[in-house]
Amino acid sequence: PGERVAWPSPLRPAVRGLIERHAGRRVTVLASGDPMFFGIGRTLTEVLGTGRLRVLPHPSSVSYACARLGWAVEETEVLSLVGRPA
């Protein structure tokens, strides 16, 4: 049994309160793509620290694009507009 909780917007200022409201409970966060690449994993790590997280990543859109184009990810410059003004 579990409880589904919607993430508020804006998310970052609300993370600490969400975590505190569920203190003492096991919490799972389901996110698409690579959570450590401009994703929720980075935010949770900054708030909770690495010792309180277990991250199970999936390849990001950057990994998929590089695989399709035959480019090495570490040699590819990535620009993101996520969370930034265009």
Side-chain angles (χ1 to χ4, degrees):
E3 174 187 356
R4 182 181 290 188
V5 177
W7 291 91
S9 181
L11 173 65
R12 186 173 287 276
V15 170
R16 188 167 301 283
L18 280 169
I19 298 303
E20 289 171 357
R21 254 180 269 141
H22 299 282
R25 297 174 68 189
R26 294 180 69 178
V27 175
T28 300
V29 176
L30 178 63
S32 61
D34 185 339
M36 299 304 287
F37 189 68
F38 296 102
I40 189 62
R42 177 180 174 181
T43 302
L44 292 175
T45 299
E46 290 171 356
V47 172
L48 301 172
T50 57
R52 293 184 60 196
L53 297 176
R54 179 175 176 211
V55 178
L56 304 172
H58 189 273
S60 66
S61 58
V62 173
S63 293
Y64 281 122
C66 287
R68 177 79 177 194
L69 296 167
W71 298 354
V73 176
E74 68 273 12
E75 295 176 6
T76 302
E77 184 174 355
V78 178
L79 302 175
S80 175
L81 294 178
V82 174
R84 296 165 184 80

